[in-house]
Amino acid sequence: MPSPPLLEVDDLQVRFPTPAGPIDAVSGVSFSVSPGETVAVVGESGSGKSVSALAVLGLLGAGRVAGGSVRFRGEELVGAAPDRLRRLRGADIAMIFQNPMSSLDPLFTVGDQVAEALREHRRTPRRTAKARAVELLREVGLPDPERRVRSYPHELSGGQQQRVMIAIGLACEPALLICDEPTTALDVTVEAQILDLLRRVQRDHGTALLFITHDMGVVSELADRVLVMYAGRVVEHGSVAEVLGAPGNPYTRALIDSIPTPATPRDVPMPAIAGSVPHASDMPSGCRFHPRCPRVHDRCATEPPLHDIGPGRASRCWLHAAGTAGSTVAGVRGVG
Amino acid sequence: MTLYVLRRLGYGAVVMLLVTVFVFVIMRLVPGDAVSLQLQDTGVSAAEADALRADFGLDAPVWTQLWLWLGDAARGDLGTSFYSGAPVTELFLERVPVTVQLGLLAMVIGALLGVAFGVVAALTRGSLVDGGVRLFAVAFLSVPNFVVALLLLTGLAIWFAWSPPIVYTGPGEDVTGWLQQIAIPVLALGTGGMAAIARMTRSSMLESLGSDYIRTVRAKGARQRTVVLKHALRNSTTAVLTLLGLELATVLGGTVILEQMFAIPGTGQLIYQAVLDRDYPVVVACTIFYAGLFVLTIIVLDLLYALVDPRIRTGKALS
Amino acid sequence: MAVTDPAPLFEARDLVKHFRSRGSTVRAVDGVSFTIPRGRTVGLVGESGSGKSTVARLALRLLEPTSGELSFDGVDLRGAGRGELRALRRRMQIVFQDPFGSLNPRMRVLDAVGEPLSVHGLARGRARRDRVVELLERVGLSAKDLTKFAHQFSGGQAQRIGIARALATDPDLIVCDEAVSALDVSVQAQVLNLLKRLQAELGLSYLFIAHDLNVVRYMSDEVCVMYLGRIVERGDGDALFADPRHPYSEMLVSAVPEFDPANTGRARPAPRGEAPSPSRPPSGCRFHPRCPRAFDRCSTDEPVVHPVAPGRTAACHLLEVDR
């Protein structure tokens, strides 16, 4: 790691109350984001990827951080005063979300919602804030920003709404932008435009991105490093080229294999992972992937730790403990 | 927009016409008429009574009466009272301000307190305060307003030995006297609406506070005041506006009984007496007034919706 | 099409559906033709507003087309009488995107899957139960799931129930409208495999609609690319995605984030513009405002369909110039 990390998450545990008792949506999650880099968190539903991101900003709603630490520029955020967190949100760490339509307040103009980010943090005069909002909307590629600044969210397309969300995020020039599946709800051509915009923002402002997604293609195109999450745990992390090119963990391998690509042969079944993602209230004992793992063996009854399997790379699997050199797993052909 | 208002006013006129016809016909179907009630036990002969009926125009068939009345009404003449002989318009204009003051105060107080209680309950969800607000809201919703008035009246009399003045004085002459006079009816009329509005505000505030856009506002680092008062509350107003329309109906209905109970000379009292007396012109005029007030309020509320919510402004509702 | 199936199972010709709302007309589907041969899969891809889901509803006569012809197994669907249509409906089923939304939460699996059997009077009591068990086993569930409710299943399992339900009446055609789009990738692969296996076992035909190009390519024998209510290009999926001939197909294919561990980071330029509303389609070629290769004719003349290779067609003026 060349520079000291901007964000360090260590052994994070997030708990949600349910009628049947508390459940841990995330446990033992650690990662860091350095200035200007893009870290992707990839996983299926229930993996805890979004919860981890919301925990950073203290936006968990009913949930709470039950353990671990979140440090931003060395400052501990877990247990920090609410007002301190508020001052960081939007100003130093901003966040954009999956569904831009529902994420914008329908009753206010987009200009007002962009300007609000400035006014809440810097007491910018109304007129200056409005002028800056136009500039920001132009920067994120909203056509005709002088006019659009007075539009309401419902008058914009999904792609334009997401551009507005990005403008809100950029308003105070944050050092870190958390993106929670920002393109999942968008059409593929619009997705490409938004990803392009985020890349440009990063290049021009040196913003670090923490990018939550379920799409390996997006990870491959955008990120420097990747964390793979499964059932509330980090199962593997490392550089994108290494993790995607030679997955260390059987889950990562199986997940990659089950994605249809232009090269997937049509006349044979897709390699699929048997069973389904476990629910947080009903976690398997031992390795959380073991009931679905093609390489399960007796040691999997105990949960494996994250094993270092290379510089800046680790995988949570007992297969590495055997001392298998360069232990990456070969492709597993599953049956449907 | 103008077109929309005009169209709504047109609909309103049709509604009022239908109400008029309905009341006009129903009143004449009710047994007994103004003449027989007035001449009861006076020993006046049937022939004289018939002459009086002819005088009032009550001898013609109902539809002819209706037609004549509509013709007069179109010229601004709502007829004269069968009893006092005074023009209905005059009788009526005297009393309208009293009822409007009463109803407006009840609605404003109900709405303000309802919204305030609703917001507090939503922000303290699950706490004792929230529980208290919900309990009282259900209680007030299930008790009719005249019962609330009676309870207030007896309670204040027993514990504070205070009761409102018996003779009505307008706010122009004696403000304190007026306030004392109308305090209980206003509270009684307002509580039902207050309870309904508190419940609605609470639930739509909770929905709004849990929404994606509020999460965005929080992620911006907005202050709690901005989150609650600017975004969450404003998004809850449409639901509350809907209730205000319904509350108006309750309040107007309530004035009939409460004005009677507290000897307040408003239109409620007027219509009550007029119905008993079969004073047709007064009944019809009052009914038109109530219907018109209701129609106008609904239009105003629709316009307020559009003011609050830009989606309605540009959307289907106003095309 | 080089070879025309002598008697395709399903045929749509010049299908048009316009929705009128407040003075404007939404041209959701505007002249779409395709045929589905027996035992084959035709895929529809396109972005939101392309009209692909409307086509699905028109095909099943859940919506009344504004104009155009539909035939199923040689029977004209538009001219069919009520009784005839009812009999045909049994042979055409649909699987929706949200498996939980399309299953009644208060119904047990036995009744959810068995409902079509009762509705069409195909089986009752013991026979119905046996048939439901058979269907469940076919989709990878079992008799012990009979008494469960939808919410007791994962998304993938619930979609299997949806498929079992669609299979109940022994259909010939199943329309899959984004049937795997809401599922996690690991589960999506299972359901795709299941659909393929069922096709092989039962000789089913599919109209397979999805926005994920790779999923459609994997499933389909023929792929139709839709844009603003029209099919702009069609043909074998492998060939179409490897060498798209219509500029829109090209844009769509290049926009898909590429999963390539050997070559991370993206060098290709992002597509420009966004699809306009189908209530105001552009003049001439509907794609011209976004097309990187548009020229003057494109804004005035509507392009006709050109054959570009055996079994492949595209509607673009450039193809005419090329020849």
Side-chain angles (χ1 to χ4, degrees), chain B residues 203-276:
Chain B
S203 67
S204 48
M205 277 292 284
L206 284 178
E207 192 193 322
S208 179
L209 285 171
S211 70
D212 287 355
Y213 54 82
I214 290 294
R215 188 178 58 184
T216 306
V217 177
R218 289 196 203 278
K220 257 183 229 184
R223 284 173 290 251
Q224 180 72 359
R225 197 182 50 203
T226 311
V227 172
V228 174
L229 296 182
K230 182 173 169 190
H231 293 278
L233 188 57
R234 180 131 182 218
N235 273 283
S236 310
T237 37
T238 38
V240 173
L241 284 177
T242 312
L243 271 186
L244 275 181
L246 295 172
E247 202 204 332
L248 179 79
T250 323
V251 166
L252 288 184
T255 55
V256 175
I257 298 173
L258 287 169
E259 284 180 8
Q260 198 62 29
M261 274 175 70
F262 288 83
I264 297 170
T267 49
Q269 205 185 42
L270 185 67
I271 196 174
Y272 179 79
Q273 200 52 49
V275 169
L276 289 185

Side-chain angles (χ1 to χ4, degrees), chain A residues 45 157 187 189 264 266 273, chain C residues 48 184 190 196 217 274:
Chain A
S45 56
S157 70
D187 276 324
T189 59
T264 309
R266 264 157 50 181
I273 309 178
Chain C
S48 42
D184 278 318
Q190 296 170 10
K196 279 220 165 182
R217 186 205 66 93
E274 288 180 34

Side-chain angles (χ1 to χ4, degrees), chain B:
Chain B
M1 197 71 172
T2 327
L3 188 75
Y4 168 75
V5 175
L6 287 177
R7 197 154 74 192
R8 291 303 301 263
L9 283 172
Y11 285 143
V14 173
V15 168
M16 286 170 64
L17 186 69
L18 289 176
V19 168
T20 309
V21 172
F22 183 74
V23 172
F24 203 92
V25 174
I26 286 289
M27 277 309 287
R28 279 157 178 79
L29 293 179
V30 176
D33 64 15
V35 173
S36 58
L37 288 173
Q38 257 180 42
L39 302 183
Q40 225 164 16
D41 307 325
T42 53
V44 175
S45 74
E48 280 170 302
D50 282 340
L52 198 54
R53 284 201 179 89
D55 234 25
F56 288 157
L58 290 176
D59 54 342
V62 171
W63 300 113
T64 316
Q65 291 182 40
L66 176 63
W67 186 245
L68 288 173
W69 184 88
L70 283 175
D72 287 344
R75 284 188 296 275
D77 176 11
L78 293 176
T80 48
S81 164
F82 291 169
Y83 278 77
S84 63
V88 169
T89 330
E90 202 173 284
L91 267 180
F92 193 67
L93 287 179
E94 227 162 70
R95 286 164 174 257
V96 165
V98 176
T99 298
V100 166
Q101 282 159 6
L102 184 67
L104 212 62
L105 264 178
M107 283 189 60
V108 167
I109 287 177
L112 289 181
L113 288 180
V115 167
F117 282 132
V119 169
V120 170
L123 291 179
T124 58
R125 182 187 196 172
S127 73
L128 222 60
V129 178
D130 180 28
V133 169
R134 289 162 67 191
L135 190 74
F136 274 99
V138 172
F140 278 126
L141 271 179
S142 30
V143 181
N145 45 30
F146 61 89
V147 175
V148 174
L150 279 175
L151 289 174
L152 281 171
L153 201 58
T154 41
L156 289 171
I158 290 169
W159 289 313
F160 299 100
W162 180 89
S163 59
I166 293 168
V167 180
Y168 179 83
T169 45
E173 304 156 49
D174 174 10
V175 177
T176 36
W178 175 70
L179 281 176
Q180 287 182 13
Q181 174 90 36
I182 65 161
I184 291 176
V186 162
L187 285 178
L189 282 173
T191 45
M194 180 186 76
I197 287 173
R199 280 166 57 92
M200 178 59 85
T201 304
R202 178 183 179 273
S203 67
S204 48
M205 277 292 284
L206 284 178
E207 192 193 322
S208 179
L209 285 171
S211 70
D212 287 355
Y213 54 82
I214 290 294
R215 188 178 58 184
T216 306
V217 177
R218 289 196 203 278
K220 257 183 229 184
R223 284 173 290 251
Q224 180 72 359
R225 197 182 50 203
T226 311
V227 172
V228 174
L229 296 182
K230 182 173 169 190
H231 293 278
L233 188 57
R234 180 131 182 218
N235 273 283
S236 310
T237 37
T238 38
V240 173
L241 284 177
T242 312
L243 271 186
L244 275 181
L246 295 172
E247 202 204 332
L248 179 79
T250 323
V251 166
L252 288 184
T255 55
V256 175
I257 298 173
L258 287 169
E259 284 180 8
Q260 198 62 29
M261 274 175 70
F262 288 83
I264 297 170
T267 49
Q269 205 185 42
L270 185 67
I271 196 174
Y272 179 79
Q273 200 52 49
V275 169
L276 289 185
D277 293 343
R278 308 290 188 277
D279 197 347
Y280 303 151
V282 177
V283 173
V284 170
C286 283
T287 311
I288 292 176
F289 166 69
Y290 279 102
L293 198 62
F294 204 69
V295 164
L296 267 181
T297 308
I298 298 293
I299 293 175
V300 169
L301 285 179
D302 273 351
L303 293 178
L304 284 177
Y305 276 141
L307 198 71
V308 171
D309 194 336
R311 287 167 298 185
I312 296 175
R313 217 147 51 221
T314 49
K316 44 194 169 291
L318 282 187
S319 63

